[in-house]
Amino acid sequence: MIDLLNEILATLRHNKLRTALTGFAVSWGIFLLIVLLSVSRGLVNGMESMFGKRDTESMTIYGGWANKPYHGLKEDRPIELRDKSIEVLTVQNPEYIRDASANLSSDSTVISTSKDYITGGYQGVYPSTQRFEGLTIAEGRFINDSDIREGRKVIVLHKNNADMLFGREYPIGKQVRVGDLSFTVVGIYDHEWQKASYIPFSTARNMSGGSDRLRRITVGLRNVKDQQSSDKAERSVRETLGRQLQFDPDDESALWLWNRFSDYLRTSSAMGAIGLAVWVIGLLTMLSGIVGVSNIMFVSVRERTHEIGVKRAIGARPLSILKQIILESVAITTIFGYVGIVAGVITSQVISHYVGESDFFKNPTVDIAIAIQVTFVLILAGAFAGLFPALKSLKIKPVEALRDE
């Protein structure tokens, strides 16, 4: 084995320039593959983080305009969601809907303390909003069922807003003014982009003047595992609300549905396609280097025809000749390939440092699994590059090789 390694190293030293140029092509291809894989990993991590914080098995429903006549009602009329729609959806769709909640908002109400104030109003919500929106509670708690039943004047603030209103004071249990009313802070939450102030839905309904109109309803889905079942859930929602609110279920404009589960399936499919495309592009780029390695080995076999003839004449087995040529090819590919891996990993770390992290791009680094996959590709590619030159070497007849000078 040591003799074989010495022969491989001697061959590489004998053709330094040719080996270096071909090795550079291999390194460049692997380098691009690693960088592309790290970028795609950053996108996938961002997607998983974004969807992981939110309830992907949910659907938000907005009222629209009926563009079709229905049971004597004319077209071009608004479809408005009602408080009763929440109960109707949960009672009539137990197969697909596990729970439902609504949202009431006031964008103009000022929330204040003696120290400062914030604008942006409040949102009246149900407890399930925490799961739907992916809110992380930092202090205290979120709105609960007791708050809803009793119409309590409690509020949950984003941590940045709490800092503005209370400074260094501990906010839980403190009072804030929401318009002309006093509310108790029961929770502080953290979120990357959502900074709304949340109060119980029932309290917001009392503050709205008694109207039962809703801007939107969010439902939690169950038994949705693929696009087909997701589409059935959407159809069930349209049919249920169509009966209650008097519109044609086939009228797409009557309701606007944001199906997060369908979005998740589409995004996952897109991320999978991106990952596949990255591997294809990287492997095609690396192919130029592999072709170069194969050409080197063909030339090496031609230059060493006499040497191979001598080995065959003194009894060397064809398998040993085959093994030597293939191992030389694997050595060239692996050595320079790992140069590309190291350069690619360093570049991915630089990208992670300077680009940073956002909602859609996180931790663009290469893990051990990808390193193992690339190593396997390197060994396989090197063996493939040396296979045809090795097979050619076996066709050399000892007598003709000894004549070849």
Side-chain angles (χ1 to χ4, degrees), residues 362-375:
K362 290 182 179 294
N363 190 25
T365 55
V366 178
D367 58 21
I368 186 64
I370 293 180
I372 293 173
Q373 292 171 9
V374 173
T375 300

Side-chain angles (χ1 to χ4, degrees), residues 324-345:
Q324 179 180 351
I325 302 298
I326 291 179
L327 286 179
E328 285 183 17
S329 176
V330 170
I332 294 174
T333 306
T334 304
I335 291 171
F336 288 99
Y338 269 102
V339 172
I341 289 177
V342 172
V345 170

Side-chain angles (χ1 to χ4, degrees), residues 179-377:
D180 296 327
L181 301 175
S182 180
F183 278 68
T184 301
V185 178
V186 295
I188 305 297
Y189 74 92
D190 188 19
H191 198 272
E192 293 179 357
W193 69 83
Q194 181 67 266
K195 295 187 178 181
S197 300
Y198 297 105
I199 68 174
F201 177 84
S202 56
T203 305
R205 173 57 76 204
N206 293 334
M207 295 167 64
S208 68
S211 172
D212 67 341
R213 293 185 177 88
L214 295 173
R215 179 171 173 266
R216 70 184 185 193
I217 295 175
T218 301
V219 298
L221 301 177
R222 60 158 58 107
N223 299 326
V224 286
K225 298 179 175 59
D226 49 32
Q227 189 60 54
Q228 184 179 7
S229 58
S230 179
D231 291 340
K232 288 181 179 179
E234 285 192 21
R235 180 64 184 178
S236 180
V237 167
R238 289 187 178 277
E239 290 177 349
T240 299
L241 292 180
R243 290 190 296 268
Q244 185 212 1
L245 303 177
Q246 299 293 294
F247 65 84
D248 189 336
D250 294 324
D251 189 349
E252 295 287 335
S253 64
L255 293 178
W256 185 80
L257 303 181
W258 175 21
N259 191 331
R260 290 187 178 96
F261 184 74
S262 294
D263 282 356
Y264 174 74
L265 291 179
R266 285 191 291 268
T267 305
S268 298
S269 177
M271 289 298 102
I274 289 175
L276 178 61
V278 164
W279 272 102
V280 171
I281 293 172
L283 292 176
L284 289 177
T285 304
M286 193 176 67
L287 183 62
S288 61
I290 300 305
V291 171
V293 173
S294 185
N295 287 336
I296 274 188
M297 300 315 300
F298 272 116
V299 173
S300 177
V301 168
R302 180 69 184 87
E303 291 177 346
R304 295 158 62 190
T305 299
H306 186 75
E307 174 192 335
I308 293 173
V310 172
K311 289 182 176 180
R312 294 289 301 278
I314 62 177
R317 295 182 179 181
L319 181 61
S320 65
I321 304 296
L322 185 71
K323 182 170 66 174
Q324 179 180 351
I325 302 298
I326 291 179
L327 286 179
E328 285 183 17
S329 176
V330 170
I332 294 174
T333 306
T334 304
I335 291 171
F336 288 99
Y338 269 102
V339 172
I341 289 177
V342 172
V345 170
I346 293 174
T347 302
S348 70
Q349 294 291 341
V350 172
I351 293 173
S352 178
H353 177 73
Y354 285 100
V355 175
E357 296 188 352
S358 65
D359 297 337
F360 306 102
F361 193 77
K362 290 182 179 294
N363 190 25
T365 55
V366 178
D367 58 21
I368 186 64
I370 293 180
I372 293 173
Q373 292 171 9
V374 173
T375 300
F376 176 77
V377 170

